[in-house]
């Protein structure tokens, strides 16, 4: 690696750095809520089913707006944090620093595209048999 | 691109050669590898959930969940548990240091976060044990 290379933190920027830390703390909260909701509250337990995740059980849960908000919020945070982290890793390499614009655009497209995909794939559960 | 241009990354004199790494460096490399693994997992996770839209009433989703509750898959879930807990606890340590908390006691903070990780990982193992060994261990 060349001696005069610019520090990755300079390339990535202060905002990216700060955001990585803020999203990290939020993710710990989301992870706690997610694990509790999915595995301990056991909304479908009264159906007397196996401790198996089923379509009906998830639908039942996603009848409540709170779950929808938590799920989509967590997905957004995970994508922002994960792709922002991946961006940092890329900028440790000169060949990617040289293509900063391209990388930034690509990561935003991948992130927003994945978010939309993630939102859409929950629709069957939300409109599903839970009601 | 020549192989030799990656000497800084893999070479015997590189800072990443195992015997050249100190605790903090191991922690950082581990954080990076687990972070990248988690990004890959998110896409896998979404593609699994997307099976819900494939058949009426989520039949394909239920079938997939049936498969993924097999011991082998649950064991892989446990791998995920380890990866997430390590990344989260080490990340917490990084954030604390950036806030100026605990820098004077770096070593101690590192081992305390790792001890908490170990406890959480054992907790996770206990929670899924019956799914990996449904018949119990003889
Ligand atoms: C559960 C809570 C989490 C916490 C507390 C956390 C914390 C952090 C922190 C503080 C950093 C910055 C490290 C540094 O600049 O040295 C980071 C980096 C990163 N995180 Fe997370 N993270 C969490 C979850 C995740 C998840 C779910 C993903 C994947 C989708 C992820 C992917 C990454 C990646 C790829 C990096 C960049 C690694 C690097 O720069 O070496 N993290 N994380």
């Amino acid at each position: 690696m060349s001696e005069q290379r610019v520090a990755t933190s300079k390339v990535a920027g202060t905002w990216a750095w700060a955001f990585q830390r803020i999203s990290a703390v939020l993710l710990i909260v989301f992870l706690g809520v997610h694990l509790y909701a999915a595995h301990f509250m056991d909304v479908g337990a009264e159906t007397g089913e196996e401790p198996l995740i089923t379509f009906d059980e998830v639908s039942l849960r996603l009848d409540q707006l709170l779950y929808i908000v938590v799920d989509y919020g967590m997905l957004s945070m995970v994508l922002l944090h994960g792709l922002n982290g991946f961006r940092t890793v890329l900028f440790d390499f000169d060949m990617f620093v040289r293509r900063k614009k391209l990388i930034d655009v690509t990561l935003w497209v991948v992130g927003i595209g994945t978010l939309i995909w993630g939102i859409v794939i929950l629709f069957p559960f939300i409109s599903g048999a839970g009601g | 691109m020549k192989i030799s241009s990656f000497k800084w990354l893999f070479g015997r004199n590189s800072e990443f050669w195992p015997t050249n790494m100190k605790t903090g460096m191991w922690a950082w490399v581990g954080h990076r590898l687990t972070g990248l693994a988690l990004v890959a997992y998110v896409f896998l996770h979404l593609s699994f959930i997307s099976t819900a839209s494939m058949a009426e009433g989520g039949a394909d989703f239920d079938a997939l969940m049936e498969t993924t509750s097999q011991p082998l898959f649950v064991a892989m879930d446990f791998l995920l548990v380890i990866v997430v807990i390590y990344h989260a606890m080490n990340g917490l340590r990084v954030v604390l240091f950036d806030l100026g908390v605990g820098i004077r006691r770096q070593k101690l903070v590192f081992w305390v976060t790792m001890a908490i990780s170990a406890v959480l990982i054992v907790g996770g193992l206990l929670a899924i044990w019956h799914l990996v060994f449904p018949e119990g261990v003889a």
Side-chain angles (χ1 to χ4, degrees):
Chain A
M1 190 155 279
S2 58
E3 289 304 317
Q4 68 274 32
R5 81 178 289 280
V6 189
T8 302
S9 54
K10 276 261 169 59
V11 183
T14 311
W15 261 109
W17 178 88
F19 181 78
Q20 198 65 358
R21 272 123 253 272
I22 296 166
S23 57
V25 174
L26 286 174
L27 275 175
I28 292 184
V29 178
F30 271 123
L31 193 65
V33 176
H34 180 70
L35 284 177
Y36 179 71
H39 301 285
F40 294 100
M41 274 172 66
D42 214 0
V43 173
E46 58 273 25
T47 60
E49 283 175 39
E50 294 281 291
L52 198 76
I53 299 170
T54 62
F55 181 82
D56 289 343
E57 190 187 317
V58 179
S59 296
L60 206 61
R61 230 183 275 148
L62 286 173
D63 267 353
Q64 286 157 272
L65 184 66
L66 184 66
Y67 280 104
I68 300 176
V69 173
V70 168
D71 277 5
Y72 286 160
M74 185 169 180
L75 178 63
S76 317
M77 257 329 128
V78 161
L79 287 172
L80 284 165
H81 178 93
L83 293 177
N84 190 38
F86 186 50
R87 181 173 174 270
T88 314
V89 178
L90 290 181
F91 289 162
D92 268 351
F93 298 86
D94 289 342
M95 61 179 153
F96 296 117
V97 173
R98 269 185 258 121
R99 296 173 179 78
K100 183 167 186 285
K101 252 265 129 65
L102 178 67
I103 300 231
D104 283 350
V105 172
T106 308
L107 288 180
W108 275 111
V109 171
V110 169
I112 293 172
T114 310
L115 178 62
I116 293 172
W117 180 39
I119 289 175
V120 170
I121 58 179
L122 276 197
F123 286 173
F125 292 105
I126 294 172
S127 63
Chain B
M1 190 155 304
K2 291 196 299 298
I3 299 285
S4 62
S5 53
F6 281 102
K7 258 194 186 147
W8 63 270
L9 187 55
F10 298 118
R12 198 175 288 273
N13 294 320
S14 83
E15 49 189 337
F16 298 103
W17 191 259
T19 51
N20 293 344
M21 296 211 293
K22 295 226 178 92
T23 315
M25 194 67 166
W26 282 107
W28 177 77
V29 170
H31 194 82
R32 177 157 281 194
L33 293 179
T34 52
L36 293 174
L38 286 172
V39 172
Y41 172 74
V42 170
F43 289 97
L44 192 67
H45 188 60
L46 291 177
S47 64
F48 273 32
I49 292 173
S50 70
T51 56
S53 56
M54 284 160 53
E56 191 65 33
D60 287 351
F61 178 80
D62 284 350
L64 184 66
M65 289 304 110
E66 192 90 46
T67 309
T68 55
S69 61
Q70 307 288 315
L72 180 67
F73 281 93
V74 181
M76 291 199 300
D77 281 347
F78 182 57
L79 216 61
L80 177 70
V81 167
I82 297 173
V83 165
V84 171
I85 290 175
Y86 171 76
H87 187 92
M89 291 311 295
N90 187 62
L92 186 64
R93 183 182 68 93
V94 171
V95 174
L96 287 179
F97 287 170
D98 284 336
L99 291 172
V101 178
I103 301 190
R104 301 246 195 85
R105 302 222 174 111
Q106 284 212 37
K107 279 255 155 78
L108 179 67
V109 173
F110 175 76
W111 290 113
V112 167
T113 50
M114 287 305 106
I116 297 173
S117 302
V119 170
L120 291 173
I121 289 170
V122 170
L125 185 60
L126 292 176
I128 63 172
W129 189 262
H130 67 287
L131 294 172
V132 187
F133 301 106
E135 265 88 61
V137 189

